[in-house]
Amino acid sequence: MAKKYPRIEVDLKKITHNTKEMVRVFKELGVEIAGINKVTCGSVEVANALIEGGVKVIGESRIEALKKLKDINAEKMLVRLPMISNAAEVVKYADISLNSEIKTIRKLSEEALKIGKKHKVVLMIDVGDLREGIFDEEDALKTAGHIIELPGVELDGLGTNLSCFGGIMPSEENLEKLNRLKKRIEEKYNIKMNTVSGGNSSTTHLIQKDKLPKFVNQLRCGTLLMLGTVEVTESRMDNTFIDAFILKAEIIELKKKPSKPIGTPNVDAFGNIPEFEDKGQMTRAICAIGRQDVDLEWMKPVDSNIEILGGSSDHAIVDLTHADNKYDIGHILEFELNYVAILRGMTSPFVYKEYVK
Ligand SMILES: *Cc1c(COP(=O)(O)O)cnc(C)c1O
């Protein structure tokens, strides 16, 4: 049967390779990786590639994605704070969840008891990025005390998230808040917690600088395993692949046209006023892929002589002027995807997915 386009080819061996390599590097530092699969829209194939690479915990942000993964051989973590309305499903499909609201945690405990489970709670602490987590330390101390009293949940540890909403870099200083709170909670309530979850892939920059505090024993990584990149330092980890996700899109128009639009300029389809340089006549192609399916700013042509000019919901327009004359109608152009483009592409029902083993 003819292959269908647009299509993302996912090279599972590359993802497993990246994971093995990162699990090895982190293990030397006493850090476990929770493999965050959310960019793939709950792909069982990718989750299994991460597991083959050595992760023991798989994280997703949506319960619907965890449902798809219900038969995989790993502990399952919900990384977005649970919705209280959905507590029954959370304890059914996740073994661990990240939490900051005692009201929700009480409900999780109740629901877990009903099905005879003990659900693990990681209490999220906001150390400055101002997305999820308890900011006030006394409040965190009190909440921990309440969690310990609940029979259906176990306080597995503390966690934080950075470089997301506030764009704050993980540092030895801001992570110290986790260490301080861990000690205070353990002393006050005479307990031991297992996990200090020091953030997402961005915290890897402290590993690059040999500055990851010893008390951090888990990072929750998606980007790092899928792409090998540490975006906060715009760098890559050695011996990783960046091209496990390749988008293939078909050329539906190929013509010589001017490079600057003709007529009175106004807003484009997305309300922006585009600017164009006059580069004379161009060889331009339209690919059957658009902003509904990918993010054109977060992908790049594999053929470095091709440039993406822009696009609309359903079209990507590329400059083929400097490419060889080998392209024609019906030919396939390949693009390397970065995080945001993978996220949208894997989520789009209009993009076929092919897993290469
Ligand atoms: C998305 C997410 C992660 C993983 O982020 P990456 O930057 O892809 O490693 C970790 N933790 C939480 C809470 C998340 O929402």
Side-chain angles (χ1 to χ4, degrees):
M1 209 178 70
K3 288 197 167 169
K4 296 214 170 153
Y5 300 95
R7 187 153 58 96
I8 293 181
E9 270 185 20
V10 187
D11 189 327
L12 298 171
K13 278 208 293 290
K14 288 184 176 171
I15 294 171
T16 297
H17 171 94
N18 287 354
T19 308
K20 272 193 184 145
E21 190 57 21
M22 293 301 98
V23 165
R24 186 184 66 72
V25 169
F26 280 49
K27 198 170 180 180
E28 283 170 17
L29 304 166
V31 179
E32 182 188 68
I33 298 180
I36 309 304
N37 196 46
K38 69 187 185 203
V39 74
T40 71
C41 198
S43 159
V44 176
E45 289 85 350
V46 176
N48 279 327
L50 298 174
I51 292 167
E52 207 180 316
V55 305
K56 303 276 191 290
V57 178
I58 292 287
E60 283 285 356
S61 53
R62 318 279 172 121
I63 281 295
E64 289 72 11
L66 281 179
K67 274 187 198 173
K68 292 203 236 170
L69 303 185
K70 70 177 184 348
D71 295 324
I72 63 167
N73 185 21
E75 257 195 315
K76 278 152 253 163
M77 175 191 268
L78 181 67
V79 300
R80 185 171 69 183
L81 305 180
M83 293 185 259
I84 196 166
S85 65
N86 208 18
E89 286 199 314
V90 173
V91 298
K92 182 165 178 202
Y93 294 104
D95 304 297
I96 316 164
S97 59
L98 310 183
N99 285 275
S100 66
E101 292 291 350
I102 189 62
K103 229 174 158 171
T104 308
I105 300 168
R106 281 190 210 285
K107 184 80 174 154
L108 292 175
S109 172
E110 223 174 86
E111 294 297 338
L113 276 182
K114 279 191 206 162
I115 58 169
K117 267 195 180 175
K118 194 126 185 164
H119 183 78
K120 290 185 190 172
V121 166
V122 172
L123 184 61
M124 292 301 275
I125 307 300
D126 193 330
V127 304
D129 197 57
L130 302 186
R131 200 178 75 178
E132 74 274 52
I134 301 179
F135 186 79
D136 182 83
E137 292 193 26
E138 302 314 311
D139 188 8
L141 204 63
K142 246 192 283 168
T143 305
H146 291 314
I147 297 172
I148 295 160
E149 300 286 302
L150 297 170
V153 296
E154 177 194 329
L155 181 58
D156 185 54
L158 302 179
T160 195
N161 196 63
L162 284 143
S163 315
C164 273
F165 176 74
I168 299 299
M169 291 278 274
S171 68
E172 290 168 284
E173 293 74 36
N174 56 26
L175 290 177
E176 181 55 29
K177 186 168 176 180
L178 295 179
N179 195 30
R180 197 164 55 235
L181 265 169
K182 178 175 192 273
K183 284 186 186 150
R184 287 187 69 191
I185 292 168
E186 290 187 336
E187 247 165 54
K188 177 158 184 187
Y189 302 109
N190 195 21
I191 55 159
K192 281 274 169 226
M193 292 186 286
N194 299 319
T195 306
V196 177
S197 191
N200 55 42
S201 296
S202 70
T203 303
T204 310
H205 94 92
L206 292 174
I207 292 181
Q208 292 174 308
K209 301 184 175 91
D210 218 4
K211 283 192 168 166
L212 186 75
K214 292 255 179 308
F215 56 82
V216 172
N217 64 6
Q218 182 193 71
L219 295 185
R220 307 174 309 272
C221 299
T223 313
L224 184 75
L225 307 182
M226 306 295 173
L227 296 163
T229 53
V230 183
E231 272 158 15
V232 287
T233 49
E234 295 180 344
S235 61
R236 312 252 336 259
M237 294 298 275
D238 288 342
N239 195 16
T240 55
F241 293 103
I242 198 171
D243 58 351
F245 294 81
I246 296 289
L247 171 75
K248 303 192 170 191
E250 184 170 331
I251 298 176
I252 53 175
E253 184 186 283
L254 180 64
K255 294 190 187 304
K256 287 213 182 344
K257 292 191 192 182
S259 44
K260 199 173 159 69
I262 296 91
T264 309
N266 202 322
V267 293
D268 67 13
F270 287 82
N272 307 305
I273 299 181
E275 283 190 32
F276 297 93
E277 196 188 326
D278 192 349
K279 297 185 187 167
Q281 286 286 107
M282 254 182 187
T283 305
R284 300 159 68 98
I286 299 179
C287 293
I289 184 90
R291 293 189 196 275
Q292 180 163 12
D293 317 296
V294 282
D295 191 301
L296 302 170
E297 279 71 47
W298 287 76
M299 57 194 250
K300 73 168 196 215
V302 170
D303 180 342
S304 59
N305 295 315
I306 298 177
E307 197 193 332
I308 299 174
L309 295 168
S312 53
S313 311
D314 309 298
H315 306 83
I317 299 165
V318 299
D319 179 2
L320 295 183
T321 313
H322 305 291
D324 303 338
N325 277 331
K326 60 185 176 190
Y327 296 108
D328 201 352
I329 296 300
H331 282 194
I332 305 304
L333 294 186
E334 297 189 353
F335 301 88
E336 207 178 276
L337 303 182
N338 210 329
Y339 193 84
V340 179
I342 298 172
L343 180 68
R344 214 178 289 175
M346 293 301 286
T347 308
S348 173
F350 303 114
V351 176
Y352 293 88
K353 282 92 189 171
E354 182 175 352
Y355 295 97
V356 185
K357 290 209 176 90

